[in-house]
């Protein structure tokens, strides 16, 4: 049976940005560097705190104490972090500094297993950020609330808050925020058993953290990737990522995170019968977790001790640690239960008082209006009916609002899936186009070069030399067609401007190559917002190419005109030449004309071919557009 491996939840830290005096400058510079050098950041913040205390600037004292709390929380020193942010609230009435302190205390409470208090403080922070319209900070707090719900297995609420955070982070192009949302959504996928999806999201998060060079983020994401590999039974891969996570956590001094990595390594070793190696990791995990009061890691270490002694045939010690594990686990849940009971008690007492007040008022009203009892009863019935109507209407409105919200969430999830699919398809197209360009394109170029070397390096018979010239021209033509194909593949959609530029480029080349033919190209009344898929755009371009090629090759014209215009919600493309033409009724269509018809059919467009001997030829394609 697979044991429990803990995923690491990522938290986005809120920072304040002021720079009006020396203390503020030191505060801001420390928050800019603390992710890379915690100890230097602490030193700078303590220097700023001395200056603020000397100036008796309570607002800056509060700001600096909270910033110290943020750094210590990032190091996993949760008790000290909480104390500093609570002290900050006593020094300042600044709402934004207070919101940052509330957020920090909420995250610390989550790590200490105080989930009700965590939600309480995070909601306080969120209320301030929403009033101040601070989108980045609101997104961060939404994400942190989602983490608390996720940790308590309330996944529907967790998803709701993570998706809110994701939408805001993407609008802000906040890479760190996006990474952490993806990580936390991946944890939900993992807990629901969708390991493939979880691994994909964790690896995406890890990639962003590596780009940002955030060692703490890299360590946490690496731990999570290792956990998924463990559940997939890819043990060697799991150990590699767990050890990488532990090394980074130790390097940056995040000993709270270090406990989780050691616990995970120990569990893998225990399950796969590497029992002697597991003990040192359990000891390290337990010592670190006890020192920094990380509830989940203490609980996990106690359970690992029980498993270890059981595997070593020491049932007495195994039982002792299992009892400790159970007692510790129950203590956390008992705290939650006490909080819930206290809330219910307050609700009960409030309801009881309200009933007593209503009863007293009813008695007084009955004594005062005894003679008008019947009228009172009628009025009471009317009031009751009104109340019932109001309550019914409120219930209906609430239900309607809830249904709309559920529908929006469903649409959002579907949109996310669609976007992910489109991104994957685009990545595949780009990869194929790169392969075509780098491999086939290079090979064709090599063929041309080789043919040139043969022609100029040897005295070849004229017939063979002409044949090589023909092969070279065919190869060059193939390269041009390959480039056109790559151009279309690299685009999700092709605008009318893209198409116009491509056609103009082709016609300029044709004009230079054909001295006896005058080419012209123009557009009329075409809306520049019209867009085609890459396949549609390529087919239109190929039809124009084929029409010009046929005219040059067979019609012996002096003028060729290409025209694109918009007529009655349709794009009309015309290729007209003044060449010798042909009899539509008697001519046998070759590959060129058949190819144009086939491409028009794929476009779901109409194609019309008009020609008369000595009066030229016109090719007309009509493609309906949706506005």
């Amino acid at each position: 049976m697979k044991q429990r491996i803990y995923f690491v939840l990522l938290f986005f830290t809120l920072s304040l940005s002021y720079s009006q005096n020396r203390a503020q400058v030191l505060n801001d510079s420390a928050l800019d560097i603390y992710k890379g050098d915690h100890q230097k950041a602490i030193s700078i913040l303590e220097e700023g705190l001395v200056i603020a205390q000397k100036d008796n600037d309570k607002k800056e004292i509060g700001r600096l104490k909270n910033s110290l709390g943020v750094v210590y929380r990032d190091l996993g020193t949760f008790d000290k972090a909480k104390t500093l942010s609570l002290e900050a609230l006593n020094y300042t009435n600044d709402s934004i500094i207070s919101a940052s302190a509330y957020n920090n205390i909420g995250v610390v409470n989550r790590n200490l297993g105080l989930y009700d208090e965590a939600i309480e403080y995070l909601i306080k922070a969120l209320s301030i950020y929403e009033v101040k319209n601070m989108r980045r900070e609101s997104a961060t707090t939404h994400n942190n609330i989602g983490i608390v719900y996720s940790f308590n297995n309330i996944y529907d609420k967790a998803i709701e808050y993570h998706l809110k955070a994701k939408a805001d982070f993407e609008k802000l192009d906040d890479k760190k925020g996006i990474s952490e949302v993806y990580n936390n959504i991946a944890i939900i996928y993992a807990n629901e058993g969708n390991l493939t999806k979880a691994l994909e999201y964790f690896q995406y998060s890890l990639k962003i953290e590596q780009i940002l060079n955030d060692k703490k983020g890299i360590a946490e994401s690496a731990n999570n990737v290792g956990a998924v590999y463990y559940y997939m039974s890819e043990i060697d891969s799991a150990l590699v990522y767990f050890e990488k996570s532990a090394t980074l956590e130790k390097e940056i001094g995040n000993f709270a995170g270090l406990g989780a990595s050691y616990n995970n390594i120990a569990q893998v070793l225990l399950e796969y019968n590497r029992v002697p190696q597991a003990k040192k990791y359990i000891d390290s995990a337990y010592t670190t977790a006890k020192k920094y009061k990380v509830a989940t890691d203490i609980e996990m270490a106690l359970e690992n001790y029980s498993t270890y002694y059981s595997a070593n045939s020491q049932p007495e010690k195994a039982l002792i640690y299992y009892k400790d594990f159970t007692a510790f686990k129950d203590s956390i849940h008992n705290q939650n239960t006490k909080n819930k009971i206290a809330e219910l008690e307050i609700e009960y007492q409030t309801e009881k008082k309200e009933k007593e007040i209503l009863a007293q008022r009813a008695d007084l009203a009955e004594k005062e209006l005894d003679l008008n009892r019947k009228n009172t009863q009628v009025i009471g019935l009317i009031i009751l009916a009104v109340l019932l109507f109001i309550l019914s209407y409120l219930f209906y409105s609430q239900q309607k609002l809830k249904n709309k919200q559920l529908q929006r969430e469903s649409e959002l999830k579907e949109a996310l899936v669609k976007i992910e699919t489109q991104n994957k398809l685009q990545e595949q197209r780009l990869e194929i186009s790169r392969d075509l360009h780098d491999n086939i394109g290079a090979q064709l170029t090599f063929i041309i070069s080789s043919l040139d070397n043969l022609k100029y390096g040897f005295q070849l018979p004229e017939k063979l030399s002409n044949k090589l010239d023909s092969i070279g021209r065919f190869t060059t033509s193939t390269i041009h067609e390959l480039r056109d194909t790559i151009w279309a593949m690299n685009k999700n959609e092709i605008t009318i401007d893209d198409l116009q530029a491509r056609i103009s480029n082709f016609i300029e080349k044709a004009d230079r190559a054909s001295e006896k033919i005058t080419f012209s190209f123009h557009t009329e009344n075409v809306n520049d917002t019209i867009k085609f898929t890459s396949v549609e755009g390529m087919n239109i371009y190929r039809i124009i190419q084929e029409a010009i090629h046929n005219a040059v090759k067979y019609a012996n014209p002096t003028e060729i005109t290409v025209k694109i215009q918009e007529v009655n919600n349709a794009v009309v493309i015309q290729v007209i030449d003044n060449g010798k033409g042909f009899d539509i009724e008697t001519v046998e269509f070759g590959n060129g004309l058949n190819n144009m018809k086939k491409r028009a059919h794929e476009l779901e467009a109409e194609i019309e071919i008009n020609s008369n001997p000595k009066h030229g030829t016109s090719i007309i394609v009509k493609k309906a557009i949706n506005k």
Side-chain angles (χ1 to χ4, degrees):
M1 179 185 292
K2 291 290 182 189
Q3 300 209 31
R4 292 181 303 153
I5 293 290
Y6 280 95
F7 294 100
V8 179
L9 295 147
L10 303 189
F11 298 88
F12 189 53
T13 305
L14 297 178
S15 62
L16 305 175
S17 180
Y18 298 90
S19 52
Q20 296 175 350
N21 55 47
R22 177 65 176 161
Q24 287 180 350
V25 170
L26 291 171
N27 178 83
D28 294 346
S29 63
L31 291 178
D32 285 340
I33 67 165
Y34 83 95
K35 284 287 185 181
D37 192 339
H38 292 85
Q39 296 306 319
K40 185 174 181 180
I42 290 171
S43 176
I44 294 172
L45 289 169
E46 288 176 344
E47 179 186 348
L49 188 58
V50 169
I51 295 172
Q53 288 171 335
K54 183 178 178 181
D55 295 339
N56 196 27
D57 189 338
K58 292 186 176 181
K59 179 179 177 180
E60 292 309 313
I61 293 172
R63 189 197 311 280
L64 287 153
K65 279 183 174 288
N66 181 60
S67 296
L68 278 166
V70 169
V71 178
Y72 277 111
R73 190 202 79 204
D74 207 54
L75 284 169
T77 311
F78 296 126
D79 280 345
K80 189 166 186 178
K82 184 174 180 178
T83 299
L84 284 162
S85 288
L86 286 170
E87 288 176 357
L89 292 171
N90 293 328
Y91 276 96
T92 180
N93 293 322
D94 185 279
S95 60
I96 296 177
I97 298 175
S98 297
S100 179
Y102 289 143
N103 179 76
N104 197 46
I105 295 167
V107 175
V108 168
N109 282 333
R110 205 290 309 165
N111 281 281
L112 295 174
L114 305 174
Y115 306 122
D116 293 336
E117 293 183 31
I119 289 290
E120 177 188 349
Y121 278 96
L122 290 171
I123 288 175
K124 284 183 179 180
L126 183 60
S127 299
I128 295 173
Y129 290 136
E130 287 181 339
V131 169
K132 297 288 185 180
N133 196 28
M134 299 172 72
R135 177 173 285 179
R136 187 185 306 276
E137 290 77 7
S138 295
T140 299
T141 312
H142 277 130
N143 195 40
N144 290 339
I145 293 172
I147 290 170
V148 179
Y149 280 120
S150 178
F151 205 84
N152 284 275
N153 301 325
I154 308 173
Y155 297 133
D156 56 340
K157 294 294 290 183
I159 285 286
E160 175 186 336
Y161 279 96
H162 286 320
L163 289 177
K164 289 178 181 177
K166 182 175 180 292
D168 280 340
F169 282 136
E170 287 178 340
K171 288 178 182 176
L172 295 165
D173 193 27
D174 189 323
K175 296 293 189 298
K176 181 67 176 176
I178 293 170
S179 166
E180 289 162 353
V181 170
Y182 269 92
N183 180 86
N184 297 330
I185 292 176
I187 291 174
I188 295 173
Y189 278 125
N191 289 333
E192 292 179 338
N194 192 343
L195 297 180
T196 302
K197 198 71 176 176
L199 181 60
E200 177 186 338
Y201 274 66
F202 280 139
Q203 288 175 330
Y204 184 75
S205 176
L206 177 58
K207 182 178 180 181
I208 295 176
E209 297 296 339
Q210 288 170 335
I211 292 171
L212 296 174
N213 196 29
D214 186 333
K215 291 185 178 179
K216 187 171 186 294
I218 294 170
E220 291 165 339
S221 294
N223 178 82
N224 293 341
V225 172
V228 177
Y229 277 126
Y230 166 78
Y231 284 116
M232 289 178 165
S233 298
E234 297 184 25
I235 301 309
D236 291 335
S237 295
L239 284 173
V240 167
Y241 278 97
F242 286 149
E243 288 169 356
K244 179 179 181 180
S245 174
T247 301
L248 284 171
E249 297 286 16
K250 193 172 183 179
E251 180 183 331
I252 63 177
N254 182 29
F255 295 104
L258 187 60
S261 297
Y262 283 151
N263 266 324
N264 288 342
I265 295 171
Q267 282 198 346
V268 174
L269 295 173
L270 287 170
E271 182 172 345
Y272 286 85
N273 296 320
R274 304 182 194 176
V275 177
Q277 302 172 45
K279 180 66 162 54
K280 65 178 182 180
Y281 288 105
I282 304 174
D283 290 340
S284 298
Y286 185 67
T287 301
T288 303
K290 284 281 287 184
K291 181 176 180 180
Y292 293 97
K293 297 182 181 180
V294 184
T296 52
D297 292 339
I298 295 172
E299 178 186 340
M300 190 175 179
L302 291 171
E303 187 177 14
N304 282 341
Y305 273 129
S306 177
T307 305
Y308 170 79
Y309 285 113
S310 178
N312 274 286
S313 301
Q314 294 178 267
E316 291 183 3
K317 281 193 173 183
L319 180 59
I320 290 171
Y321 277 104
Y322 185 77
K323 288 180 178 179
D324 290 343
F325 159 69
T326 305
F328 185 82
K329 183 178 180 181
D330 289 343
S331 71
I332 296 176
H333 291 291
N334 285 341
Q335 181 63 46
N336 289 334
T337 304
K338 289 177 183 177
N339 291 337
K340 291 294 183 183
I341 291 173
E343 290 177 5
L344 292 172
E345 179 66 17
I346 292 170
E347 291 176 3
Y348 169 75
Q349 292 295 340
T350 302
E351 185 178 358
K352 185 178 179 181
K353 290 292 183 183
E354 289 176 351
K355 287 180 178 179
E356 289 175 355
I357 292 170
L358 288 173
Q360 291 172 0
R361 289 177 178 175
D363 289 339
L364 181 60
E366 185 175 354
K367 290 177 182 178
E368 291 177 350
L369 303 173
D370 186 61
L371 296 176
N372 299 317
R373 185 176 296 277
K374 290 183 180 181
N375 291 337
T376 302
Q377 290 175 348
V378 172
I379 294 172
L381 288 172
I382 294 172
I383 292 172
L384 179 61
V386 172
L387 287 173
L388 287 173
F389 174 79
I390 293 172
L391 289 172
S392 298
Y393 178 79
L394 290 174
F395 177 80
Y396 169 79
S397 299
Q398 185 178 13
Q399 191 63 35
K400 187 175 180 181
L401 183 62
K402 184 177 180 181
N403 291 339
K404 286 184 178 179
Q405 185 176 358
L406 290 172
Q407 183 181 357
R408 285 197 297 269
E409 290 177 357
S410 176
E411 291 171 352
L412 177 58
K413 291 178 181 178
E414 290 176 0
L416 287 173
V417 171
K418 186 175 180 181
I419 289 169
E420 289 172 5
T421 303
Q422 290 174 343
N423 288 340
K424 287 181 180 177
L425 289 173
Q426 179 64 8
E427 288 173 2
Q428 291 173 356
R429 286 208 302 268
L430 290 174
E431 185 175 351
I432 292 169
S433 68
R434 282 194 297 269
D435 287 341
L436 288 172
H437 182 272
D438 295 340
N439 296 329
I440 298 175
Q443 291 168 4
L444 290 172
T445 303
F446 175 77
I447 291 171
I448 294 172
S449 177
S450 298
L451 292 173
D452 289 340
N453 290 337
L454 284 173
K455 285 164 52 182
Y456 297 108
F458 300 94
Q459 293 293 329
L460 300 176
E462 182 177 356
K463 187 174 182 181
L464 178 58
S465 179
N466 291 338
K467 185 64 175 178
L468 291 178
D469 286 340
S470 176
I471 294 171
R473 287 192 297 273
F474 176 78
T475 305
T476 301
S477 175
T478 303
I479 290 175
H480 290 316
E481 290 183 2
L482 180 64
R483 288 173 179 168
D484 291 336
T485 302
I486 292 171
W487 165 74
M489 287 181 66
N490 281 337
K491 293 179 174 291
N492 279 327
E493 55 188 20
I494 295 176
T495 65
I496 199 73
D497 288 337
D498 292 333
L499 195 58
Q500 183 177 347
R502 201 71 184 179
I503 294 167
S504 295
N505 185 47
F506 171 74
I507 288 175
E508 285 176 7
K509 290 180 180 178
D511 193 32
R512 289 195 298 270
S514 303
E515 297 178 355
K516 296 181 180 180
I517 303 174
T518 301
F519 291 84
S520 62
F521 169 60
H522 56 275
T523 59
E524 294 180 5
N525 301 322
V526 181
N527 192 329
D528 57 8
T529 62
I530 295 174
K531 295 178 182 178
F532 304 99
T533 67
S534 58
V535 175
E536 290 174 342
M538 194 61 192
N539 278 330
I540 292 172
Y541 178 67
R542 290 296 190 208
I543 289 171
I544 294 171
Q545 270 190 322
E546 192 68 48
I548 293 174
H549 175 75
N550 284 351
V552 171
K553 187 174 182 181
Y554 301 112
N556 194 27
T558 59
E559 293 181 0
I560 297 177
T561 300
V562 179
K563 183 190 299 183
I564 299 178
Q565 57 187 144
E566 184 179 344
V567 180
N568 297 329
N569 289 333
V571 174
V572 180
I573 300 105
Q574 298 180 66
V575 181
I576 304 166
D577 69 73
N578 65 346
K580 61 184 180 181
F582 56 89
D583 189 344
I584 295 289
E585 300 296 328
T586 61
V587 73
E588 189 173 323
F589 282 15
N591 288 335
L593 293 174
N594 284 326
N595 284 341
M596 285 190 282
K597 286 188 173 184
K598 182 179 178 182
R599 291 185 184 278
H601 178 72
E602 291 175 356
L603 270 170
E604 296 182 351
E606 298 174 14
I607 184 167
E608 182 181 334
I609 302 173
N610 299 316
S611 184
N612 287 302
K614 299 182 180 180
H615 290 86
T617 302
S618 65
I619 309 293
I620 303 171
V621 178
K622 295 180 181 178
K623 166 66 178 171
I625 55 175
N626 296 320
K627 291 190 174 180

